[in-house]
Amino acid sequence: MLNYIWMGMLLIGFVIGGLNGRLEEVTQAAFNSSKSAVELSIGLLGILCLWTGLMGVAEKSGLLNKIAYLVSPLIRLLFPQIPKKSPAIGAIVMNMAANFLGLGNAATPLGLKAMNELQKHNTSKETASDSMVMFLILNASAIQLVPATIIALRSSAGSTNPAEVIIPIWVASASAAVTGIIAVKVLGNLKRNR
């Protein structure tokens, strides 16, 4: 379906560009966007390699198991369907830690690994499990200790105090996380009792 949507958008862009006599600008924008996409992919590849490598080292050294053990009461409360020694717990913990530290792109490969591990415990492969939905909610509403990206954007926009939004961001993201957790638990119970 997405292929049709993208193809439709491209064709509409070319047709409108041709009707306005700006086909050259449309073509140049397509080339520039392609170049940006390749640069972004290569940049993300480096981050992906770094964090999957670090996670591999942490896993083999036993550090991941120790961290997972420390936060296991919280993880068991949020993800009761996951077995105790599942690799999904380590991936979830590392993803949440990367999000908490504001490492942005670093959280992505860890999130993909966690989702892949959660899918292994999913009894209905065509539908997201409660654990997968809970992880998605926590990932989307990730609480960051220092929202570095926002501070950098505000600083580059000329803000005199770019860090003044930290507390409102903590409150907003914590509220979103709590609301999401409650929604997942309530809707999950409704689904099971149906």
Side-chain angles (χ1 to χ4, degrees):
M1 185 63 176
L2 278 177
N3 289 338
Y4 293 115
I5 293 172
W6 281 112
M7 183 56 72
M9 291 171 64
L10 285 172
L11 288 176
I12 290 169
F14 277 112
V15 168
I16 291 176
L19 292 174
N20 290 333
R22 302 173 71 179
L23 198 55
E24 187 176 332
E25 292 175 34
V26 172
T27 305
Q28 189 60 44
F31 282 123
N32 289 341
S33 297
S34 302
K35 182 181 170 189
S36 298
V38 170
E39 289 172 356
L40 178 66
S41 300
I42 290 172
L44 286 177
L45 181 65
I47 295 288
L48 185 104
C49 291
L50 173 68
W51 281 98
T52 51
L54 284 176
M55 188 166 175
V57 170
E59 188 175 12
K60 289 188 178 176
S61 68
L63 177 65
L64 210 55
N65 288 337
K66 288 179 181 169
I67 294 172
Y69 177 77
L70 288 175
V71 296
S72 61
L74 176 65
I75 297 295
R76 297 291 307 154
L77 183 67
L78 294 174
F79 302 94
Q81 297 88 9
I82 303 176
K84 278 187 177 178
K85 295 194 175 181
S86 170
I89 294 174
I92 290 169
V93 169
M94 292 298 284
N95 173 269
M96 291 170 78
N99 276 329
F100 184 72
L101 295 173
L103 298 176
N105 290 338
T108 303
L110 301 168
L112 292 173
K113 180 171 175 55
M115 203 53 100
N116 189 32
E117 294 293 335
L118 289 172
Q119 177 68 359
K120 292 177 184 174
H121 301 297
N122 189 2
T123 53
S124 174
K125 301 295 182 192
E126 299 296 321
T127 307
S129 66
D130 288 354
S131 297
M132 295 168 86
V133 174
M134 178 65 79
F135 177 67
L136 185 63
I137 292 291
L138 291 175
N139 209 354
S141 63
I143 300 171
Q144 290 186 5
L145 181 64
V146 179
T149 305
I150 299 294
I151 292 172
L153 286 173
R154 287 177 51 83
S155 180
S156 66
S159 172
T160 54
N161 188 5
E164 69 184 352
V165 294
I166 288 179
I167 292 177
I169 287 175
W170 288 346
V171 172
S173 57
S175 301
V178 169
T179 305
I181 290 167
I182 291 171
V184 171
K185 291 290 184 186
V186 170
L187 294 174
N189 285 336
L190 285 176
K191 186 179 81 175
R192 279 187 291 278
N193 294 332
R194 195 168 36 161

